[in-house]
Amino acid sequence: MSLIFDRLRTRSTRRSAATARACPYSHAHVHGHLVPEESAGASAPSPSQAPDRPFTDPRQAAEFIRRFHAEQPAAGDPDARIRAVLDEIDRTGSYQHTPAELAHGARLAWRNAARCIGRLYWRSLVVRDLRHLSSADDIATECFEHLRTATNGGRIRPVISVFAPDRPGRPAARILNQQLVRYAGHPGPDGRWIGDPAGAQLAARARDLGWKGGEERFEVLPLLVQERAGERPSWYELPEDTTLEVRLSHPGHQWFADLGLRWYAVPAISDLTLEIGGVRYPTAPFNGWYMGTEIGARNLADADRYDMLATVADRLGLDTSSDRTLWRDRALVELNIAVLHSFEEAGVTMADHHTESERFLRHVAREKRAGQPTPADWSWIVPPVSGGLTPVYHRYYDPVDPALRPAFVAREPW
């Protein structure tokens, strides 16, 4: 089973790898990543004042409840539930989802992720209802448990952990990391990067808070949690048993292991807001499992990430004097072979782009039979390696609707 959450995070038009293209499947395309749809949200009223208008849009709430009951007939009559929800919004400015509504809404957000190729298994998402938790210590503790649950000994599970939502006058805590696991980066004395440039900003902030790390090539960043706007974030080292890493080798080149490359197993996106029926959950980390190209063609290959293509080409003895020798292409393929081989040897779940493309078309066909559209961003669905050789390349998809909810959306500022 493979999940790919094409991160909702906005990236450059050239699709520079931000990791976990974690679509909640980062399969981290969440496979690992979702890229956010911008959404308008009501600003929070002062805690001392009754809101002039509901903090949560009643129309969005009613629409979600109707949809939930339509897709979950056993839930009973939607009208009574809608009346209760609208009454709660009228009294408090917002409302609370039932556990069943929360779970279904989180899964629908994955199903609606237009940039995610791994949506075939959206129903299998494990939803951890942690809405009763809001302190930094509790959030960190449960994020570590999320990673343990998702890792599952290498048989990666798709998991989402949903913490307290924003409430009128009470914005919820935020995780500052883009992913629960990511490597630090910093510029070296010779101007070259040590580690992952994508982790440089958070590494600098963590050091300002007192963290002493960040100078190794593959050093896991601490978790930073901010309970309230303007407050100093708390930072937490990730326990060793939360971070499974795979050391990379190549089936045909023994020297590849000497490069010292590795990558973590669980791409868990943590900087997007889960929006369900007008309720916003800004702290809802989620993961799928990786698709090989997310690591081999983006995280390790991009010039603004680990930039390994020239090194691999040199060790392969390729002619790099001209682009016409296609040395980058050849090095890229060998790098991706190493990633797939290493994860398989380690017994860690990973999808390849050919298989995942076929699975996505199965998802499209299944949704069509159910009368559901499948919005998809072609530029994100087509893999970054051998796109034209995959079946997802040669077709059009339903248009993307930025207003489609539930969804994972870009987090609004405090």
Side-chain angles (χ1 to χ4, degrees):
M1 160 173 112
S2 104
L3 305 165
I4 301 172
F5 270 98
D6 237 305
R7 313 179 54 150
L8 290 169
R9 185 168 302 98
T10 301
R11 295 184 183 181
S12 64
T13 54
R14 70 178 194 75
R15 284 176 33 172
S16 121
T19 178
R21 234 180 151 198
C23 324
Y25 265 87
S26 185
H27 250 232
H29 189 12
V30 235
H31 281 180
H33 318 205
L34 297 176
V35 181
E37 320 289 352
E38 300 297 335
S39 71
S43 59
S46 166
S48 62
Q49 298 176 339
D52 295 328
R53 58 192 174 96
F55 180 78
T56 297
D57 188 337
R59 293 169 298 179
Q60 293 182 31
E63 180 181 355
F64 169 70
I65 297 301
R66 288 193 190 94
R67 185 172 189 178
F68 170 74
H69 282 258
E71 298 191 8
Q72 303 288 320
D77 176 22
D79 293 337
R81 174 60 178 153
I82 290 173
R83 286 193 296 271
V85 165
L86 296 182
D87 179 66
E88 188 176 351
I89 292 174
D90 187 55
R91 288 184 290 104
T92 69
S94 190
Y95 71 104
Q96 182 170 317
H97 290 121
T98 67
E101 289 166 356
L102 178 73
H104 192 63
R107 292 174 183 133
L108 290 182
W110 181 11
R111 187 177 78 178
N112 291 338
R115 296 181 174 181
C116 175
I117 194 175
R119 285 176 271 170
L120 176 63
Y121 301 102
W122 63 272
R123 292 179 181 83
S124 69
L125 182 65
V126 175
V127 180
R128 304 177 70 231
D129 185 352
L130 303 170
R131 290 175 290 172
H132 59 291
L133 301 179
S134 58
S135 74
D137 286 352
D138 287 341
I139 289 171
T141 296
E142 289 301 332
C143 283
F144 301 151
E145 189 57 34
H146 175 125
L147 289 170
R148 296 184 185 102
T149 300
T151 301
N152 188 32
R155 299 185 63 182
I156 310 301
R157 293 182 182 132
V159 177
I160 183 168
S161 296
V162 184
F163 294 95
D166 285 338
R167 291 297 186 190
R170 290 182 292 134
R174 268 75 165 153
I175 295 170
L176 303 187
N177 307 58
Q178 289 184 329
Q179 297 181 44
L180 296 183
V181 181
R182 196 162 204 177
Y183 296 123
H186 77 283
D190 60 355
R192 297 182 180 181
W193 281 95
I194 299 174
D196 189 350
Q201 185 174 4
L202 192 72
R205 188 162 190 181
R207 284 193 291 269
D208 287 344
L209 295 171
W211 183 54
K212 302 302 182 183
E215 297 186 359
E216 297 178 11
R217 198 176 178 204
F218 293 95
E219 185 165 14
V220 176
L221 285 160
L223 186 70
L224 272 61
V225 183
Q226 189 171 16
E227 287 191 24
R228 297 176 184 83
E231 287 190 354
R232 183 181 178 88
S234 300
W235 63 273
Y236 306 84
E237 291 275 14
L238 272 66
E240 186 174 347
D241 69 338
T242 65
T243 309
L244 175 61
E245 295 178 278
V246 176
R247 295 183 180 276
L248 303 187
S249 60
H250 192 287
H253 301 292
Q254 288 189 339
W255 54 260
F256 196 97
D258 297 335
L259 298 178
L261 303 177
R262 63 177 185 261
W263 207 260
Y264 49 88
V266 178
I269 303 304
S270 53
D271 66 345
L272 298 178
T273 291
L274 170 64
E275 187 173 309
I276 303 172
V279 178
R280 298 173 66 85
Y281 299 94
T283 307
F286 61 88
N287 72 275
W289 52 69
Y290 271 113
M291 185 163 75
T293 54
E294 179 67 19
I295 300 171
R298 298 262 70 98
N299 300 338
L300 294 176
D302 278 1
D304 58 355
R305 299 297 298 283
Y306 276 87
D307 195 20
M308 289 300 302
L309 290 185
T311 299
V312 173
D314 180 64
R315 296 300 295 268
L316 288 168
L318 301 180
D319 178 4
T320 60
S321 63
S322 169
D323 289 341
R324 294 176 66 87
T325 67
L326 302 185
W327 65 268
R328 290 186 183 87
D329 309 70
R330 295 166 66 186
L332 186 67
V333 168
E334 297 302 327
L335 188 53
N336 279 270
I337 289 172
V339 169
L340 290 170
H341 164 78
S342 302
F343 271 66
E344 184 174 11
E345 286 288 299
V348 176
T349 305
M350 169 170 283
D352 68 84
H353 52 291
H354 295 286
T355 301
E356 208 54 59
S357 295
E358 294 172 356
R359 288 172 175 169
F360 181 69
L361 294 189
R362 285 169 54 196
H363 169 70
V364 172
R366 178 183 292 178
E367 293 294 288
K368 184 177 181 179
R369 289 194 299 271
Q372 295 285 351
T374 310
D377 184 334
W378 188 94
S379 67
W380 283 77
I381 296 299
V382 175
V385 174
S386 304
L389 299 180
T390 63
V392 294
Y393 180 89
H394 304 280
R395 57 168 297 156
Y396 294 101
Y397 300 96
D398 292 324
V400 177
D401 179 4
L404 185 62
R405 297 293 184 274
F408 293 96
V409 302
R411 182 186 293 163
E412 294 180 346
W414 285 98

Coordinates of all heavy atoms in Angstrom, one line a residue, residues 238-296:
L238 N 14.4 14.8 19.3 CA 13.6 13.6 19.0 C 14.2 12.4 19.6 O 15.4 12.1 19.4 CB 13.5 13.4 17.5 CG 12.3 14.1 16.8 CD1 12.4 15.6 16.9 CD2 12.1 13.7 15.3
P239 N 13.5 11.6 20.4 CA 14.1 10.4 20.9 C 14.6 9.4 19.8 O 14.0 9.4 18.7 CB 12.9 9.7 21.7 CG 12.0 10.9 22.0 CD 12.1 11.8 20.9
E240 N 15.6 8.7 20.1 CA 16.2 7.9 19.1 C 15.3 6.9 18.4 O 15.3 6.6 17.2 CB 17.4 7.1 19.6 CG 18.2 6.4 18.6 CD 19.5 5.8 19.2 OE1 19.9 6.2 20.3 OE2 20.1 4.9 18.6
D241 N 14.3 6.3 19.3 CA 13.4 5.3 18.7 C 12.3 5.9 17.9 O 11.4 5.1 17.4 CB 12.8 4.5 19.9 CG 11.9 5.3 20.8 OD1 12.0 6.5 20.8 OD2 11.0 4.7 21.4
T242 N 12.3 7.2 17.7 CA 11.2 7.8 16.8 C 11.7 8.0 15.4 O 10.8 8.2 14.5 CB 10.8 9.2 17.3 OG1 11.9 10.1 17.2 CG2 10.3 9.1 18.8
T243 N 13.0 7.8 15.1 CA 13.5 8.2 13.8 C 14.2 7.0 13.2 O 15.4 6.8 13.4 CB 14.4 9.4 13.9 OG1 13.8 10.5 14.6 CG2 14.8 9.9 12.5
L244 N 13.5 6.3 12.4 CA 14.2 5.2 11.6 C 14.8 5.8 10.4 O 14.2 6.5 9.6 CB 13.1 4.2 11.2 CG 13.6 3.0 10.3 CD1 14.7 2.2 11.0 CD2 12.4 2.1 9.9
E245 N 16.1 5.5 10.2 CA 16.8 6.0 9.0 C 17.4 4.9 8.2 O 17.8 3.8 8.8 CB 18.0 6.9 9.5 CG 17.5 8.2 10.2 CD 18.7 9.1 10.6 OE1 19.2 8.8 11.7 OE2 19.1 10.0 9.9
V246 N 17.5 5.0 6.9 CA 17.9 4.0 6.0 C 19.3 4.5 5.4 O 19.3 5.6 4.8 CB 16.9 3.7 4.9 CG1 17.5 2.7 3.9 CG2 15.6 3.2 5.5
R247 N 20.3 3.7 5.6 CA 21.6 4.1 5.0 C 21.6 3.5 3.5 O 21.2 2.4 3.3 CB 22.8 3.4 5.8 CG 22.9 4.0 7.2 CD 24.0 3.5 7.9 NE 24.1 4.1 9.3 CZ 24.7 5.3 9.5 NH1 25.3 6.0 8.6 NH2 24.7 5.7 10.8
L248 N 22.0 4.4 2.6 CA 21.9 4.1 1.2 C 23.1 3.3 0.6 O 24.3 3.7 0.9 CB 21.6 5.3 0.4 CG 20.4 6.2 0.8 CD1 20.2 7.3 -0.2 CD2 19.2 5.3 1.0
S249 N 22.8 2.3 -0.1 CA 23.8 1.5 -0.9 C 23.3 1.3 -2.3 O 22.1 1.6 -2.6 CB 24.2 0.2 -0.2 OG 23.0 -0.6 0.0
H250 N 24.1 0.7 -3.1 CA 23.7 0.4 -4.5 C 23.9 -1.0 -4.8 O 24.9 -1.6 -4.4 CB 24.5 1.3 -5.5 CG 24.0 1.4 -6.9 ND1 24.1 0.3 -7.7 CD2 23.3 2.3 -7.6 CE1 23.6 0.6 -8.9 NE2 23.1 1.9 -8.8
P251 N 22.9 -1.7 -5.5 CA 23.1 -3.1 -5.8 C 24.3 -3.4 -6.8 O 24.8 -4.6 -6.8 CB 21.8 -3.5 -6.4 CG 21.2 -2.3 -7.0 CD 21.7 -1.2 -6.1
G252 N 24.7 -2.4 -7.5 CA 25.8 -2.7 -8.5 C 27.1 -2.0 -8.3 O 28.0 -2.2 -9.0
H253 N 27.1 -1.1 -7.3 CA 28.3 -0.3 -7.0 C 28.6 -0.2 -5.6 O 28.0 0.5 -4.8 CB 28.1 1.2 -7.6 CG 27.8 1.3 -9.0 ND1 28.7 0.9 -10.0 CD2 26.6 1.6 -9.7 CE1 28.1 1.1 -11.2 NE2 26.9 1.5 -11.0
Q254 N 29.6 -0.9 -5.1 CA 30.0 -1.0 -3.7 C 30.4 0.4 -3.2 O 30.2 0.7 -2.0 CB 31.1 -2.0 -3.5 CG 30.6 -3.5 -3.6 CD 31.7 -4.5 -3.2 OE1 32.9 -4.1 -3.1 NE2 31.3 -5.7 -2.9
W255 N 31.0 1.2 -4.0 CA 31.5 2.5 -3.6 C 30.3 3.4 -3.1 O 30.6 4.4 -2.4 CB 32.3 3.2 -4.7 CG 31.6 3.3 -6.0 CD1 31.7 2.5 -7.1 CD2 30.6 4.3 -6.3 NE1 30.9 2.9 -8.1 CE2 30.2 4.0 -7.7 CE3 30.0 5.3 -5.7 CZ2 29.2 4.8 -8.3 CZ3 29.0 6.1 -6.3 CH2 28.6 5.8 -7.7
F256 N 29.1 3.1 -3.5 CA 28.0 4.0 -3.2 C 27.8 4.2 -1.7 O 27.6 5.3 -1.2 CB 26.7 3.5 -3.9 CG 25.6 4.6 -3.9 CD1 25.4 5.3 -5.1 CD2 24.8 4.9 -2.8 CE1 24.5 6.3 -5.1 CE2 23.9 5.8 -2.9 CZ 23.7 6.6 -4.0
A257 N 28.0 3.1 -1.0 CA 27.8 3.2 0.5 C 28.8 4.1 1.1 O 28.6 4.7 2.2 CB 27.9 1.8 1.1
D258 N 30.0 4.3 0.5 CA 31.0 5.2 1.0 C 30.6 6.6 0.9 O 31.2 7.5 1.6 CB 32.3 5.0 0.3 CG 32.9 3.6 0.4 OD1 32.6 2.9 1.4 OD2 33.6 3.1 -0.5
L259 N 29.6 7.0 0.2 CA 29.1 8.3 0.1 C 28.5 8.8 1.4 O 28.3 10.0 1.6 CB 28.1 8.5 -1.1 CG 28.7 8.2 -2.5 CD1 27.5 8.4 -3.5 CD2 29.8 9.2 -2.8
G260 N 28.1 7.8 2.2 CA 27.5 8.2 3.6 C 26.1 8.7 3.5 O 25.7 9.5 4.5
L261 N 25.4 8.4 2.5 CA 24.0 9.0 2.4 C 23.0 8.2 3.2 O 23.2 7.0 3.3 CB 23.6 9.0 0.9 CG 24.5 9.8 -0.1 CD1 23.9 9.7 -1.5 CD2 24.6 11.3 0.4
R262 N 22.0 8.8 3.7 CA 20.9 8.2 4.3 C 19.7 9.0 4.3 O 19.8 10.2 3.9 CB 21.3 7.8 5.8 CG 21.5 9.0 6.7 CD 21.8 8.4 8.1 NE 22.0 9.5 9.1 CZ 23.1 9.9 9.6 NH1 24.2 9.4 9.1 NH2 23.2 10.8 10.5
W263 N 18.5 8.4 4.6 CA 17.3 9.2 4.7 C 16.4 8.6 5.7 O 16.4 7.4 6.0 CB 16.6 9.3 3.3 CG 15.8 10.6 3.2 CD1 14.5 10.7 3.4 CD2 16.3 11.9 3.1 NE1 14.1 12.1 3.3 CE2 15.2 12.8 3.1 CE3 17.6 12.4 2.9 CZ2 15.4 14.2 3.0 CZ3 17.8 13.8 2.7 CH2 16.7 14.7 2.8
Y264 N 15.5 9.4 6.2 CA 14.5 8.9 7.2 C 13.3 8.3 6.6 O 13.0 8.5 5.4 CB 14.1 10.1 8.2 CG 13.7 11.3 7.5 CD1 12.3 11.5 7.1 CD2 14.6 12.4 7.2 CE1 11.9 12.7 6.4 CE2 14.2 13.5 6.6 CZ 12.9 13.7 6.2 OH 12.5 14.8 5.6
A265 N 12.7 7.4 7.3 CA 11.6 6.5 6.8 C 10.2 7.2 6.7 O 9.4 6.8 5.8 CB 11.5 5.3 7.6
V266 N 9.9 8.1 7.6 CA 8.6 8.6 7.7 C 8.5 10.1 7.4 O 9.1 11.0 8.1 CB 8.0 8.5 9.2 CG1 6.6 9.1 9.3 CG2 8.0 7.0 9.5
P267 N 7.9 10.5 6.3 CA 7.7 11.9 5.9 C 6.4 12.4 6.5 O 5.4 12.2 5.9 CB 7.6 11.8 4.3 CG 7.0 10.4 4.1 CD 7.4 9.5 5.2
A268 N 6.5 13.1 7.6 CA 5.3 13.6 8.3 C 5.3 15.1 8.2 O 6.0 15.8 8.9 CB 5.4 13.1 9.8
I269 N 4.3 15.6 7.4 CA 4.2 17.0 7.2 C 3.5 17.6 8.4 O 2.5 17.1 9.0 CB 3.3 17.3 6.0 CG1 3.9 16.7 4.8 CG2 3.1 18.8 5.8 CD1 5.3 17.1 4.5
S270 N 4.0 18.8 8.9 CA 3.5 19.3 10.2 C 3.3 20.8 10.2 O 3.0 21.4 11.2 CB 4.6 19.0 11.3 OG 5.9 19.4 11.0
D271 N 3.3 21.4 9.0 CA 3.1 22.9 9.0 C 1.9 23.3 8.2 O 1.8 24.4 7.7 CB 4.3 23.6 8.5 CG 4.6 23.3 7.0 OD1 4.0 22.3 6.5 OD2 5.4 24.0 6.4
L272 N 0.9 22.4 8.0 CA -0.3 22.7 7.3 C -1.5 22.7 8.2 O -1.5 22.0 9.2 CB -0.5 21.7 6.1 CG 0.5 21.7 5.0 CD1 0.2 20.7 4.0 CD2 0.7 23.1 4.4
T273 N -2.6 23.4 7.8 CA -3.8 23.4 8.6 C -4.8 22.4 8.0 O -5.0 22.4 6.8 CB -4.4 24.8 8.7 OG1 -3.5 25.6 9.5 CG2 -5.8 24.8 9.3
L274 N -5.4 21.6 8.8 CA -6.5 20.7 8.4 C -7.8 21.5 8.6 O -8.1 21.9 9.7 CB -6.5 19.4 9.2 CG -7.7 18.5 9.1 CD1 -7.8 18.0 7.7 CD2 -7.6 17.4 10.1
E275 N -8.5 21.7 7.5 CA -9.7 22.4 7.6 C -10.9 21.5 7.3 O -11.0 20.9 6.2 CB -9.7 23.6 6.7 CG -10.9 24.5 6.8 CD -10.8 25.8 6.0 OE1 -9.7 26.5 6.1 OE2 -11.7 26.1 5.2
I276 N -11.8 21.4 8.2 CA -13.0 20.5 8.1 C -14.3 21.3 8.5 O -14.4 21.7 9.6 CB -12.9 19.3 9.0 CG1 -11.6 18.5 8.7 CG2 -14.1 18.4 8.8 CD1 -11.4 17.3 9.7
G277 N -15.2 21.5 7.6 CA -16.4 22.1 7.9 C -16.3 23.4 8.6 O -17.1 23.8 9.5
G278 N -15.3 24.2 8.2 CA -15.1 25.5 8.8 C -14.2 25.6 10.0 O -13.9 26.6 10.5
V279 N -13.9 24.4 10.6 CA -13.1 24.3 11.8 C -11.6 24.1 11.3 O -11.4 23.2 10.5 CB -13.5 23.2 12.7 CG1 -12.6 23.1 13.9 CG2 -15.0 23.4 13.2
R280 N -10.7 24.9 11.9 CA -9.3 24.8 11.4 C -8.5 24.2 12.5 O -8.4 24.7 13.7 CB -8.8 26.2 11.1 CG -9.6 26.8 9.9 CD -9.2 28.3 9.7 NE -7.8 28.4 9.2 CZ -7.4 28.3 8.0 NH1 -8.3 28.1 7.0 NH2 -6.2 28.4 7.6
Y281 N -7.7 23.2 12.2 CA -6.8 22.5 13.1 C -5.4 22.8 12.6 O -4.9 22.1 11.7 CB -7.1 21.0 13.0 CG -8.5 20.6 13.5 CD1 -9.5 20.4 12.5 CD2 -8.8 20.4 14.8 CE1 -10.8 20.0 12.9 CE2 -10.0 20.0 15.2 CZ -11.0 19.8 14.3 OH -12.3 19.4 14.7
P282 N -4.7 23.8 13.2 CA -3.4 24.2 12.7 C -2.3 23.2 13.1 O -1.2 23.3 12.5 CB -3.2 25.6 13.3 CG -4.0 25.5 14.6 CD -5.2 24.7 14.3
T283 N -2.6 22.3 14.0 CA -1.6 21.4 14.5 C -2.1 20.0 14.2 O -2.8 19.4 15.0 CB -1.2 21.6 16.0 OG1 -0.9 22.9 16.2 CG2 -0.1 20.7 16.4
A284 N -1.8 19.4 13.0 CA -2.3 18.1 12.6 C -1.3 17.4 11.7 O -1.5 17.3 10.5 CB -3.7 18.3 11.9
P285 N -0.2 17.0 12.3 CA 0.8 16.4 11.5 C 0.3 15.1 10.8 O -0.4 14.3 11.5 CB 2.0 16.1 12.4 CG 1.3 16.1 13.8 CD 0.2 17.1 13.7
F286 N 0.7 14.8 9.6 CA 0.3 13.6 8.9 C 1.4 13.0 8.1 O 2.3 13.7 7.7 CB -1.0 13.9 8.1 CG -0.7 15.0 7.0 CD1 -0.2 14.6 5.7 CD2 -0.9 16.3 7.2 CE1 0.1 15.5 4.8 CE2 -0.6 17.3 6.2 CZ -0.1 16.9 5.0
N287 N 1.3 11.8 7.8 CA 2.3 11.1 6.9 C 1.7 10.0 6.1 O 0.6 9.5 6.4 CB 3.4 10.5 7.8 CG 2.9 9.3 8.5 OD1 2.4 9.3 9.6 ND2 3.2 8.1 7.9
G288 N 2.4 9.7 5.0 CA 2.1 8.5 4.3 C 3.5 7.8 4.2 O 4.2 7.8 5.2
W289 N 3.9 7.3 3.1 CA 5.2 6.8 3.0 C 5.8 7.4 1.7 O 5.2 7.9 0.9 CB 5.3 5.3 2.9 CG 4.4 4.6 1.9 CD1 4.5 4.6 0.6 CD2 3.2 3.9 2.2 NE1 3.5 3.9 0.0 CE2 2.7 3.4 1.0 CE3 2.6 3.5 3.4 CZ2 1.5 2.7 0.9 CZ3 1.4 2.7 3.3 CH2 0.9 2.3 2.0
Y290 N 7.1 7.2 1.6 CA 7.8 7.9 0.5 C 7.6 7.1 -0.9 O 7.5 5.9 -0.9 CB 9.3 7.9 0.7 CG 9.8 9.1 1.5 CD1 10.3 8.9 2.8 CD2 9.8 10.3 0.9 CE1 10.8 10.0 3.5 CE2 10.3 11.4 1.6 CZ 10.8 11.3 2.9 OH 11.2 12.4 3.5
M291 N 7.6 7.9 -1.9 CA 7.9 7.4 -3.3 C 9.3 7.7 -3.5 O 9.9 8.7 -3.2 CB 7.0 8.1 -4.3 CG 7.1 7.6 -5.7 SD 5.7 8.1 -6.8 CE 6.2 9.8 -7.1
G292 N 10.0 6.7 -4.1 CA 11.5 6.8 -4.3 C 12.0 8.1 -4.9 O 13.0 8.6 -4.4
T293 N 11.3 8.6 -5.9 CA 11.8 9.8 -6.5 C 11.8 11.0 -5.7 O 12.5 12.0 -5.9 CB 10.9 10.1 -7.8 OG1 9.5 10.2 -7.4 CG2 11.1 9.0 -8.8
E294 N 11.0 11.0 -4.6 CA 11.0 12.1 -3.7 C 12.3 12.3 -3.1 O 12.8 13.4 -2.8 CB 9.9 11.9 -2.6 CG 9.8 13.1 -1.6 CD 9.3 14.4 -2.2 OE1 8.7 14.3 -3.3 OE2 9.6 15.4 -1.5
I295 N 13.0 11.2 -2.8 CA 14.3 11.3 -2.2 C 15.4 11.3 -3.2 O 16.3 12.2 -3.2 CB 14.5 10.0 -1.3 CG1 13.5 10.0 -0.1 CG2 15.9 10.0 -0.7 CD1 13.5 8.7 0.7
G296 N 15.3 10.4 -4.2 CA 16.4 10.2 -5.2 C 16.4 11.3 -6.2 O 17.5 11.6 -6.8

